[in-house]
Amino acid sequence: DVRCSLRSRHIALAVGGQELLQGKLFDSTVTDEGTWTLEDRQLIRIVLMKTNRDAGNCWTSLLENEYAADPWVQDQMQRKLTLERFQRENPGFDFSGAEISGNYSKGGPDFSSLEK
């Protein structure tokens, strides 16, 4: 008996009547894109699509003030999102083996004001 409620800013999960997860999400999600699946009768996988998927919008936790990412994990997520942003902005370049250092927090430096 699994009950999962996925709303734009709220999530709730109960199994067998026992609440496992409930609270306000760190930021908004696309409600129609959220899914959950039960795998091998053991694992519940929840997939959320953030409303703001910009590289600078890396959530520091799943819920407001709960389930915060480890600082190293947070750093790695910021790097990955920044590289993905660079790839989208520069489709002719291959960033697959790139490493990033320096100013990559909040999505890295903003080059939009530079002339092309």
Side-chain angles (χ1 to χ4, degrees), residues 5 16-17 22 35 37 58 61-62 81 89 96 98 105 108-109 111 116:
S5 171
Q22 192 262 325
T35 61
T37 56
C58 190
S61 62
L62 175 61
L81 290 170
E89 292 174 355
S96 60
S105 66
F111 298 118
K116 291 192 175 197

Side-chain angles (χ1 to χ4, degrees), residues 75-85 100 104:
D75 179 71
Q76 295 305 305
M77 287 189 299
Q78 284 279 5
R79 289 173 189 245
K80 181 177 184 268
L81 290 170
T82 300
L83 282 173
E84 287 175 2
R85 183 192 119 205
I100 190 166
Y104 56 85

Side-chain angles (χ1 to χ4, degrees), residues 4-5 10 13 16 28 47 63 71 73 77 90 94 101 112:
C4 186
S5 171
H10 190 268
L13 174 67
S28 64
V47 178
L63 304 178
V73 171
M77 287 189 299
N90 304 282
D94 179 13
S101 64
S112 62

